[in-house]
Amino acid sequence: MTAPADPLIAEAAALIGDPTRARMLGVLMDGRARTAKELASLAGVSAPTASGHVAKMTAAGLVSVATQGRHRYVRLAGTEVAELIERLMTFAGVARPAVRPRTAAEAAFREARTCYDHLAGRLAVELVAALVARDLLRRGHDGFEPTLAGERWFRARGVDVARARCSPRAFARCCLDWSERRDHLAGALGAALLAALVDGGVLARRKDERTLDVTTMGRRFFAEEVGVPAARAAERTGVPA
Amino acid sequence: MTAPADPLIAEAAALIGDPTRARMLGVLMDGRARTAKELASLAGVSAPTASGHVAKMTAAGLVSVATQGRHRYVRLAGTEVAELIERLMTFAGVARPAVRPRTAAEAAFREARTCYDHLAGRLAVELVAALVARDLLRRGHDGFEPTLAGERWFRARGVDVARARCSPRAFARCCLDWSERRDHLAGALGAALLAALVDGGVLARRKDERTLDVTTMGRRFFAEEVGVPAARAAERTGVPA
DNA sequence: CGAAGGCTTCGGCCTTCGTCGAAGCGTTTT
DNA sequence: AAAACGCTTCGACGAAGGCCGAAGCCTTCG
């Protein structure tokens, strides 16, 4: 006899296993909500097809939809889904070492991107390492924990630490970065930090991607404040529409 | 544009998404190697079908095969695969709360089982919690780290800590338990501990399952040594062959 | 109130892929 | 050497499911 959960994992995996649905989930990995039509065009299928996929993924708990007027906004159902997909990327990256950055777009993607609602990529793991090295952040019993000086650091950058701590979700989880294979900061604190960095003009979201661009101000931020040299913002090549 | 890794994750997920292959992977989750024929009968398909599945999973890096005479032994390719499947179970368990233990076999499965090559289930997370509470084990910067007293504790139970530390794989990772949703001990140390507990007659492997039975001696072990009350060994019901 | 836009349902086409029996190859045993 | 065994390849069958166009529902806008 095999584990009772096997049929269930097959169901979930089969759902992610369709290329079109995988593309949709990849789009949603930036944490933003999308209308069904956007998803359709971004995934390269017709509206009816996309609608069917969204229905299936909703039933399985992969995504959730919110109706607003004549629009239906689709987003990932939660962090568990984002973590699952990130883990799949980790495996795919290990199994296929051929995925070395070839294009400038991919290099930029590995440099800085969103992972659901927080920052990921080389800059993210370097930032965490620097914060730990300066004793602003410590690895706690279940994720990270900022020190007193660390809380000041976060607040000075516009992060409402107290509010993040009150959040119903985990405060400061660690999340395995699939391209770097090291931990970065997730949880409510990670989400708040990303929001603050974007609001503060340190990072800029691209239109339809998870890739983040480091602004000129951002390069100064990472170099001076954290001691992490940020690569020159990659050319926006290979990004048709 | 979407993440460059999306097609790859779809490929991997689609592979796990087939019910038969999921059953095979579930069987292999105990870390033991199986012949193709064993896998076929355990998954309930013919030999040719199983052979095709094994070939596909091998090409994708999910499993690895070792030819020995006229036998071909199949095992999981590595811990990344085990972690990925465990994560899928976590999601499936969340999305479908209907997976409450109904049968005695399932209850036993949640009590103690193998996760690839280490111990998982309620007993595993309780054991780790007790070890941490007694300061025999600490959460380190990347997984766990036994204290000096902890190393003595492990050695006294027949675990070769020094050898585990020299292992090429991670020494003492933490691994999220899908049924308990708390961390248990993985990595080389976790594998060595499971081996020692089985060798020492504390736990007994079932024939074709991941479920572990706690022996009479084992109940004393968990109660006295660690302060974790082990449930009575579940009846071996619902286990046809 | 009619037109327009977003989304879903329906019907049908088509590809993909899991499945097995039969046959073939290589190893082990007698 | 012959027989037994484990495994794979081949060929064919059939079910599952992704895909789209047309049509219909609902909300919003003019």
Side-chain angles (χ1 to χ4, degrees):
Chain A
M1 182 179 159
T2 140
D6 288 350
L8 291 176
I9 78 162
E11 194 179 329
L15 230 41
I16 308 178
D18 175 72
T20 301
R21 283 191 294 257
R23 271 195 302 275
M24 290 178 167
L25 291 170
V27 167
L28 294 174
M29 274 296 279
D30 66 1
R32 282 179 282 195
R34 302 284 190 172
T35 66
K37 191 170 200 175
E38 277 181 313
L39 278 184
S41 82
L42 288 171
V45 292
S46 70
T49 302
S51 176
H53 286 315
V54 169
K56 279 176 186 162
M57 292 194 288
T58 305
L62 280 170
V63 302
S64 62
V65 297
T67 304
Q68 224 171 74
R70 58 183 168 185
H71 296 275
R72 300 197 68 189
Y73 288 98
V74 183
R75 58 173 64 232
L76 288 193
T79 55
E80 299 89 4
V81 182
E83 283 176 24
L84 170 60
I85 295 175
E86 197 77 6
R87 186 67 61 150
L88 267 167
M89 289 186 181
T90 306
F91 166 75
V94 173
R96 299 285 179 105
V99 208
R100 292 284 169 274
R102 288 321 295 161
T103 68
E106 187 170 337
F109 184 74
R110 283 168 178 261
E111 178 76 4
R113 65 178 177 275
T114 55
C115 172
Y116 192 49
D117 58 4
H118 55 270
L119 179 63
R122 191 185 69 87
L123 241 41
V125 300
E126 296 287 1
L127 176 56
V128 163
L131 291 179
V132 170
R134 291 167 63 187
D135 199 35
L136 298 175
L137 198 64
R138 285 186 186 156
R139 290 179 187 267
H141 83 107
D142 189 27
F144 294 101
E145 182 63 38
T147 60
L148 278 176
E151 292 211 10
R152 274 196 303 275
W153 184 91
F154 278 102
R155 271 197 299 272
R157 271 90 202 151
V159 176
D160 191 337
V161 179
R163 192 162 132 224
R165 209 181 281 279
C166 296
S167 163
R169 43 184 300 208
F171 171 58
R173 285 189 58 83
C174 54
C175 175
L176 186 64
D177 195 290
W178 75 266
S179 58
E180 295 291 314
R181 317 216 62 200
R182 289 159 60 196
D183 284 334
H184 59 240
L185 179 64
L189 187 61
L193 177 61
L194 172 64
L197 293 181
V198 171
D199 283 351
V202 167
L203 297 169
R205 288 176 181 272
R206 293 191 184 184
K207 187 170 182 316
D208 287 330
E209 301 174 68
R210 295 168 57 194
T211 303
L212 292 164
D213 286 308
V214 184
T215 64
T216 311
M217 179 201 305
R219 275 200 294 284
R220 210 165 43 228
F221 169 83
F222 281 107
E224 294 178 10
E225 295 269 2
V226 198
V228 176
R232 274 201 60 79
E235 293 300 315
R236 288 167 163 260
T237 59
V239 188
Chain B
M1 182 177 161
T2 142
D6 287 350
L8 291 176
I9 80 163
E11 194 180 328
L15 230 40
I16 307 176
D18 175 72
T20 301
R21 283 192 293 259
R23 269 196 303 273
M24 290 179 167
L25 291 170
V27 167
L28 294 174
M29 274 295 279
D30 66 1
R32 281 181 281 194
R34 301 283 191 173
T35 66
K37 191 172 201 174
E38 278 180 312
L39 277 184
S41 82
L42 288 171
V45 293
S46 69
T49 302
S51 176
H53 285 316
V54 169
K56 280 177 184 159
M57 291 194 287
T58 305
L62 279 170
V63 302
S64 61
V65 295
T67 304
Q68 224 172 73
R70 58 181 169 186
H71 296 277
R72 299 198 68 190
Y73 289 97
V74 183
R75 60 171 65 232
L76 287 193
T79 54
E80 297 89 4
V81 181
E83 282 175 24
L84 170 59
I85 295 174
E86 196 76 8
R87 185 67 61 149
L88 266 167
M89 289 186 181
T90 305
F91 167 74
V94 172
R96 299 286 178 105
V99 209
R100 291 285 170 272
R102 287 321 294 162
T103 69
E106 187 170 339
F109 184 75
R110 284 169 178 260
E111 178 76 4
R113 66 179 177 276
T114 55
C115 172
Y116 191 47
D117 58 3
H118 55 270
L119 180 64
R122 192 186 68 88
L123 240 41
V125 302
E126 295 288 0
L127 177 55
V128 163
L131 291 179
V132 170
R134 291 167 61 185
D135 200 34
L136 299 176
L137 198 64
R138 285 187 186 155
R139 292 181 184 264
H141 82 106
D142 188 26
F144 294 101
E145 182 63 37
T147 61
L148 279 177
E151 292 209 12
R152 276 196 302 274
W153 185 91
F154 277 102
R155 271 197 300 270
R157 270 94 201 148
V159 176
D160 191 338
V161 178
R163 191 161 133 226
R165 210 181 281 278
C166 296
S167 161
R169 41 186 301 210
F171 172 57
R173 284 188 60 82
C174 54
C175 175
L176 186 62
D177 194 289
W178 75 265
S179 57
E180 294 292 314
R181 317 214 61 199
R182 289 160 61 196
D183 285 333
H184 60 239
L185 180 64
L189 187 62
L193 177 61
L194 171 64
L197 292 181
V198 171
D199 284 351
V202 167
L203 297 169
R205 289 175 181 273
R206 293 191 185 184
K207 188 170 182 315
D208 287 329
E209 301 176 68
R210 294 168 57 194
T211 303
L212 291 165
D213 285 308
V214 183
T215 64
T216 310
M217 178 200 308
R219 275 200 293 282
R220 212 168 38 230
F221 169 83
F222 281 105
E224 295 178 9
E225 296 269 4
V226 197
V228 175
R232 275 202 58 79
E235 292 300 315
R236 288 166 163 262
T237 58
V239 188

